[in-house]
Amino acid sequence: GDVLGQRPDVQRARLGVDRALARLRVSEAERYPRLSFSAGLSTGGTRSSDWLSQPLASFAANLAVPLVDWQRLNLQRDSARTELDGAALALRDTLQSALADVELQRIEVDRTAQQLQANAGRLKEAVENERLARLRYEVGAISRADWLQIRSAVLDAEQSRIELRLRQWVRQAALFKSLGGA
């Protein structure tokens, strides 16, 4: 929840919902007439007793109630509700996509770790085979070409380990990014 909230796509979707909700609130507020009172409290008389004797006339002159177009307001409200529903669906889809992305990156990190573990076993075996082959070569039991071929297997396993380490770092960075990291 909070971790995924750091993702830019999730933040955009949340802002879309907030914007649609604000538009709905504005359309609901527009359904009520606005009352405005002016600052003037004069009744046309020069004494304060004139205002006290006719206070309603004074306020009635300053009361403004606009004509309400109910059909237009209903359409605005319905449009705002539709926009909010769409934004909510977009947020849900974005969150599901973000969760799928995080899960995929986690699976890839795990897969790379398993490959590294398997490679460590192959490298250990290749190093031991190369050690034995070097001893056999030194006593003349095998040719130099055979020993170099076995040595090549060690180098291949080491190169594979380096590539897997790089892939592991890339996958961990991708997982960090999918969790909303910068």
Side-chain angles (χ1 to χ4, degrees):
D2 290 340
V3 174
L4 290 180
Q6 300 302 315
R7 290 176 54 114
D9 56 343
V10 173
Q11 288 176 350
R12 275 190 306 275
R14 281 186 175 172
L15 287 175
V17 170
D18 290 346
R19 184 175 43 251
L21 189 56
R23 185 169 172 249
L24 178 62
R25 287 180 179 153
V26 166
S27 71
E28 288 289 342
E30 286 179 356
R31 297 177 61 79
Y32 300 100
R34 284 185 216 81
L35 302 177
S36 64
F37 295 94
S38 69
L41 298 176
S42 173
T43 62
T46 58
R47 299 177 310 196
S48 60
S49 61
D50 291 342
W51 183 82
L52 291 174
S53 64
Q54 298 177 338
L56 293 180
S58 173
F59 281 114
N62 297 317
L63 182 62
V65 181
L67 180 63
V68 179
D69 180 5
W70 291 108
Q71 186 62 28
R72 180 184 58 81
L73 294 175
N74 285 340
L75 289 174
Q76 280 180 346
R77 183 191 59 209
D78 293 346
S79 173
R81 281 187 181 156
T82 301
E83 183 182 340
L84 178 59
D85 290 345
L89 289 173
L91 175 59
R92 186 194 69 193
D93 290 347
T94 301
L95 283 171
Q96 287 177 345
S97 176
L99 285 171
D101 183 35
V102 168
E103 184 62 17
L104 175 66
Q105 296 305 329
R106 191 193 59 75
I107 288 169
E108 289 299 325
V109 165
D110 289 349
R111 181 180 296 147
T112 304
Q114 291 170 355
Q115 290 171 342
L116 264 169
Q117 189 175 11
N119 175 264
R122 284 192 301 273
L123 181 59
K124 184 177 178 182
E125 183 180 323
V127 166
E128 180 61 21
N129 287 341
E130 190 272 334
R131 185 184 70 76
L132 294 175
R134 187 180 66 240
L135 291 175
R136 282 189 240 140
Y137 167 70
E138 289 172 358
V139 294
I142 60 171
S143 70
R144 180 172 172 83
D146 290 338
W147 173 64
L148 290 176
Q149 185 176 3
I150 293 171
R151 174 78 181 133
S152 178
V154 171
L155 295 175
D156 287 344
E158 286 176 346
Q159 181 179 355
S160 187
R161 180 178 56 96
I162 291 168
E163 290 170 358
L164 285 169
R165 281 274 190 217
L166 175 61
R167 188 180 309 154
Q168 182 182 39
W169 292 331
V170 168
R171 292 296 180 194
Q172 286 174 340
L175 176 61
F176 177 72
K177 185 177 178 185
S178 73
L179 289 170

